[in-house]
Amino acid sequence: GDSVTQMEGPVTLSEEAFLTINCTYTATGYPSLFWYVQYPGEGLQLLLKATKADDKGSNKGFEATYRKETTSFHLEKGSVQVSDSAVYFCALLTGTASKLTFGTGTRLQVTL
Amino acid sequence: EAQVTQNPRYLITVTGKKLTVTCSQNMNHEYMSWYRQDPGLGLRQIYYSMNVEVTDKGDVPEGYKVSRKEKRNFPLILESPSPNQTSLYFCASSPRGGMKTEAFFGQGTRLTVV
């Protein structure tokens, strides 16, 4: 079946550091890929998405590129802020059932 | 404001006492679903609905029921809750099924079954 593997956290960074959160996937067919973010006490919000190979999703300084050859969708940001502290979920979407398959989430803590 | 609203946000209940968690969306979305979030497991889909009166099981449906009598509402029913259903629950909606549509999530319901 479909699955998403993302790096375990927590990830602790100083403000203005470079961020990478790795995500790889296994899917039958050709999925769409997403990063969702969950701030403390809130639901998930879409951060960015890519629907075909080599697409780059970007939002709020975050980027991720759909790499079909390596089945990866790594999240990057050049300079993190304290306000980026949250849990980040990589997810894929396949098929007519529109089921999102999530990774286990990576907690990011950014300190001053 | 476009949103998915869940109630209650927090609930503590006893084993076996039936409960319902409500979910409502104001975006006229066709597709709705329920997920549970557990540490180390991410989010797992419980049930989904492609449209009114059309529901189907997700990955972890045991112990849950849903209904979709109206487009905007998708309640989650636990007929006889057990402690292993203690979890954080999220309702989500999308404009339609398909490969490219974004899901909008409610704020979550933290359920504790004692």
Side-chain angles (χ1 to χ4, degrees), chain A residues 33-63:
Chain A
L33 301 174
F34 302 81
W35 277 99
Y36 281 85
V37 59
Q38 184 180 31
Y39 297 104
E42 298 185 13
L44 281 73
Q45 305 171 24
L46 179 67
L47 181 60
L48 53 84
K49 70 178 182 182
T51 58
K52 62 181 188 295
D54 300 324
D55 264 4
K56 177 186 283 188
S58 61
N59 186 25
K60 299 181 181 178
F62 291 89
E63 293 182 342

Side-chain angles (χ1 to χ4, degrees), chain A residues 94-105:
Chain A
T94 58
T96 56
S98 295
K99 187 185 79 169
L100 280 166
T101 298
F102 286 88
T104 53

